[in-house]
Every structure is written in structure tokens, then in C-alpha cells.
Amino acid sequence: MSEPIATGYAGGKIILFGEHAVVHGQPAIAVPLTSIRAEAEIYPGNGEFRIVLPEVQREFRFLRPQEGSENGLIVTARLVLEKLGQPVPDMTISLKSSIPQKSGFGSGAAVSAAIGRALSAALGMPLSDDELNRIVYEVEKMHHGTPSGIDNTVICYEKPIYFVRNQPIEFVTIARPIHLLVANLPHSTPTKVTVSDVRFLYEKHPRRVERIFNRIGHISREARKAIESGDVEALGPMMNENHRLLKRLTVSDDLMDRLCRLALRAGARGAKLSGGGRGGNIIVLIDKPSRGLITDALLKNGADRVFYSVLGGS
Ligand code: MEV
């Protein structure tokens, strides 16, 4: 192929604290994961608008608006064109991604953000982070039903955030590096399912579940203080407690609990599930020297892949 007219990237994300409770108004903290990313390249078209996925050999065409309405990639492109007041262009978008799908890394939001960035740049009208975020949120609603908006926000702004639904975004400064292992599990459950199960539990036991949400919100607030003051050690027990509370919300499972336990036994400071739960990924707070031992323990006991990530530079 020739050189692309424009390119757009977006990385993945992980939630450090507050998932699920954030859907019900509590604060949560999320960080971008730039080691994995989605990439959209725009090429001149051959008479129509297409989005091609060379890695899985699939393609989607724009056609008339209603015909693409079910596909999130096409919907993203349509929302971008509507926002910019542009007709459907004669272009091909080639989309690639190294973000594991359905794993709690925000893969859907990242591919939408990459398309939005590339397409708006190709049209000479690059979207601001805020405009892009609004578009990606619309697409997230298609995938996840009632998302809080945290995934699209951290992905579009590519900065650590302290997020409260319907409140202005607050960025978090990481005062000291945080060494994390992110273990990707072989199974996953759609976020839509776990979010709706938690909502059901809340309707059934409002007072008990409200107390859990409040406690998770308290942890997020305390964690923000610890992150911003460089008290990284304090985050370990907070992660463990957040995991126990998520378990009470029924979104953990045997493998996630077991891997968190094993990581702690192998020397981790804290461990918790991250994202929607019942599969996807767990995050483990480590001291750098224990990285190898804990990675081995996770891989030997059921994790598919383990990423090492240092938040806040070194
Ligand atoms: C998913 O990454 C995070 C959840 O809290 C859902 C949401 O906030 O929309 C589980």
C-alpha cells in the first residue's frame, strides 16, 4: 500500500480502584496503558468508504446510515463525520490493534478513539480530546449499556484520571513510580453482564450494596492521596480490600481470587481484579525485584499473559 494520508493511535487502560462503584456515582482511578494500542491508518479509497481489519480479514462498508448502525467502528466514523459536518469520504481505514479484546483493557474504546483521531486528521479537522471523548462514549453505550464513561475518558485523554460520573475530569499526578503486573486471564465476561448483575444485586439489597459502594469510594479517595503523595506502599492493602469488596459484589471468581492470593504469597504488596471482572485481568502491585517470581507464579497458575508496567515513569 501507499503511504497513509493520516494515522491515529489510542492505547489501552486499566482501572486501579473503584470499578463498578463508579457506575453508581463513586470515584474511581484509571491509568492509560500505552504499551498496547490500536492504530488506524487512512488511505485514499477506491470509490467508497471502508474500514478494513487486515489482522482478522474483515471489512465494513459505510453504505446508507441505517445499514451500518450495528457496527461500532462504522458508528464511530459516522459520528465523527456528523460532528465535522462532512459527507462520507472516499477513504479506506485500516485498523490494527495489539490490545487483547474483551479483557478489561478498553479495546473497544481504543479502536474508536484511533478511528476518530485518524479520520478527523485526514479531513484536516482534528478533534479535540473532549470532542473525541464524547463520540467514543456514545459508541461505548452501544457496547456496554450503561457505562460510567471512565474507559473512554482515560483512553481519550491518555492521562491518569480520578473520575466521578458526570463531574469534570480530574487528572492524577503520580508522585513515585508504581510497579504493576497486569495478568491477562484466559476467560472473560462481557462488562455489560457484570454491570447488570451488580445493578440487580443493588436493587435486591440496597443498603448492603450501598455500604460496599461507599467503602470502595472511600478507598479511591484515599488511594488518590497516596498516589499523589508518593506513598506507594499504602496502595497494597487498599487494593486487597478493594478486591474483597468486588468479590462481595459477585464480580470475582475462583481463578481471580487464587491468582491474587498466590501473587501476595510470592511477595506482592497488593492485588485485585481490574475492570468488569469474572475474568479479564488482575493487577498486582510489586517491588521491582519480585517481578520474576510473581510473574512465574501467575503464569504457572492460569494467567495467559503478564505485562509489566511502571506507572509514573522511573
Ligand atoms: C469497566 O472497565 C469499568 C466498570 O466500572 C464499568 C464502567 O465503569 O462503565 C466495571
Side-chain angles (χ1 to χ4, degrees):
M1 261 199 223
S2 52
E3 282 293 297
I5 309 168
T7 308
Y9 301 99
K13 64 88 196 165
I14 41 176
I15 302 214
L16 295 184
F17 293 95
E19 50 276 268
H20 286 289
V22 69
V23 176
H24 302 272
Q26 294 294 334
I29 299 174
V31 292
L33 253 196
T34 46
S35 55
I36 46 178
R37 66 180 190 175
E39 180 181 338
E41 290 179 337
I42 312 257
Y43 295 93
N46 45 10
E48 61 183 340
F49 181 88
R50 291 184 312 151
I51 299 180
V52 300
L53 281 54
E55 292 162 329
V56 290
Q57 291 171 10
R58 293 194 66 184
E59 71 170 53
F60 302 96
R61 291 188 157 77
F62 205 97
L63 304 176
R64 281 178 286 122
Q66 309 84 299
E67 296 183 43
S69 60
E70 290 310 303
N71 179 267
L73 308 179
I74 292 291
V75 171
T76 305
R78 180 173 319 120
L79 292 173
V80 170
L81 296 172
E82 272 169 22
K83 170 78 198 160
L84 301 177
Q86 292 296 305
V88 182
D90 180 7
M91 288 178 182
T92 296
I93 303 186
S94 171
L95 186 66
K96 291 183 189 154
S97 176
S98 58
I99 307 175
Q101 285 181 24
K102 302 189 178 108
S103 296
F105 292 122
S107 145
V111 293
S112 287
I115 290 177
R117 285 207 172 108
L119 183 55
S120 61
L123 294 167
M125 307 163 101
L127 292 169
S128 68
D129 291 342
D130 186 53
E131 289 167 331
L132 185 68
N133 191 27
R134 285 169 203 270
I135 289 175
V136 179
Y137 183 54
E138 289 307 308
V139 184
E140 284 287 280
K141 285 199 258 184
M142 274 179 62
H143 292 307
H144 299 309
T146 55
S148 63
I150 189 169
D151 290 8
N152 45 284
T153 303
V154 66
I155 284 170
C156 290
Y157 284 88
E158 289 188 304
K159 287 188 186 140
I161 56 167
Y162 176 86
F163 181 89
V164 183
R165 198 169 187 172
N166 301 325
Q167 299 286 319
I169 304 154
E170 294 180 45
F171 297 109
V172 175
T173 309
I174 300 178
R176 258 180 63 210
I178 299 173
H179 297 262
L180 275 191
L181 292 176
V182 183
N184 193 207
L185 308 188
H187 67 299
S188 65
T189 303
T191 304
K192 202 175 187 163
V193 172
T194 55
V195 167
S196 105
D197 288 353
V198 170
R199 189 179 300 284
F200 184 68
L201 193 72
Y202 186 27
E203 280 162 13
K204 218 165 141 202
H205 306 286
R207 273 189 309 212
R208 179 157 69 84
V209 174
E210 183 88 48
R211 277 199 298 275
I212 297 175
F213 289 157
N214 288 341
R215 183 67 200 165
I216 294 177
H218 174 76
I219 293 174
S220 292
R221 281 188 285 274
E222 291 301 305
R224 179 188 190 172
K225 288 185 209 155
I227 292 169
E228 294 197 320
S229 66
D231 190 4
V232 176
E233 293 72 22
L235 297 174
M238 293 182 200
M239 287 170 70
N240 297 337
E241 186 184 355
N242 196 164
H243 182 79
R244 285 195 295 272
L245 292 163
L246 287 164
K247 188 169 154 70
R248 287 176 59 195
L249 291 179
T250 75
V251 296
S252 189
D253 63 20
D254 288 350
L255 181 59
M256 298 187 113
D257 294 345
R258 195 168 121 76
L259 290 179
C260 287
R261 257 193 331 267
L262 286 169
L264 293 174
R265 226 178 277 156
R269 287 190 175 268
K272 68 181 276 292
L273 74 83
S274 172
R278 294 197 207 127
N281 63 70
I282 66 162
I283 55 173
V284 180
L285 180 70
I286 61 162
D287 294 318
K288 209 173 164 190
S290 54
R291 173 180 166 186
L293 202 68
I294 301 173
T295 302
D296 285 351
L298 293 169
L299 288 172
K300 276 197 195 115
N301 287 282
D304 250 2
R305 280 164 78 181
V306 177
F307 305 89
Y308 171 58
S309 185
V310 185
L311 310 178
S314 50

